[in-house]
Amino acid sequence: MRIGVLTRGEVEELERARRLGFRSIEWVGFHDGPAGPDHSDWKTFAEEFAAQARARNIRISAIGALYQNPLAPNQSDFARAVFRRAIEVAAHLGVKTVAGFGGGVIETGLHERGGRGAYKPSENYLPRPLAR
């Protein structure tokens, strides 16, 4: 088993993780980094970052795509783009896990039995980031 640490996509953080004895990382902060959806030339950066990790005997165990709320209506389009790019990068690099915050929408209504206040299930909102 390898013990890992969260790092942003920066070589300095890979080196710090290596010095501290970690052999695995989750690449977090992906959404606003050089491989995120705003960058069309993501392959060059992703391949170099993966090569730097391999050179230090560090495995990229997961890509932490987005830890904002993908179910919030004002973030669904952005979240969709981030997760799709993270999946594309992960497939290209052979990383088997893409992680992120599943999201939550806090809406209440009256429970059908008893009239108490109740949260509406998050499943009602999943089509927002999955659409298209």
Side-chain angles (χ1 to χ4, degrees), residues 46-101:
E47 289 169 355
E48 178 60 25
F49 184 66
Q52 291 290 336
R54 278 192 307 277
R56 290 166 175 78
N57 195 28
I58 293 176
R59 177 184 337 166
I60 302 172
S61 61
I63 295 177
L66 184 69
Y67 287 99
Q68 297 172 11
N69 186 358
L71 296 182
N74 64 340
Q75 295 187 58
S76 292
D77 290 337
F78 176 67
R80 186 178 312 106
V82 171
F83 277 103
R84 286 187 176 177
R85 173 59 61 81
I87 292 166
E88 188 176 13
V89 171
H92 184 71
L93 298 180
V95 175
K96 295 182 180 184
T97 304
V98 172
F101 176 53

Side-chain angles (χ1 to χ4, degrees), residues 103-122:
V105 175
I106 306 295
E107 284 191 20
T108 59
L110 294 179
H111 192 278
E112 60 190 44
R113 294 184 329 192
R116 298 181 316 277
Y119 292 112
K120 293 181 181 178
S122 291

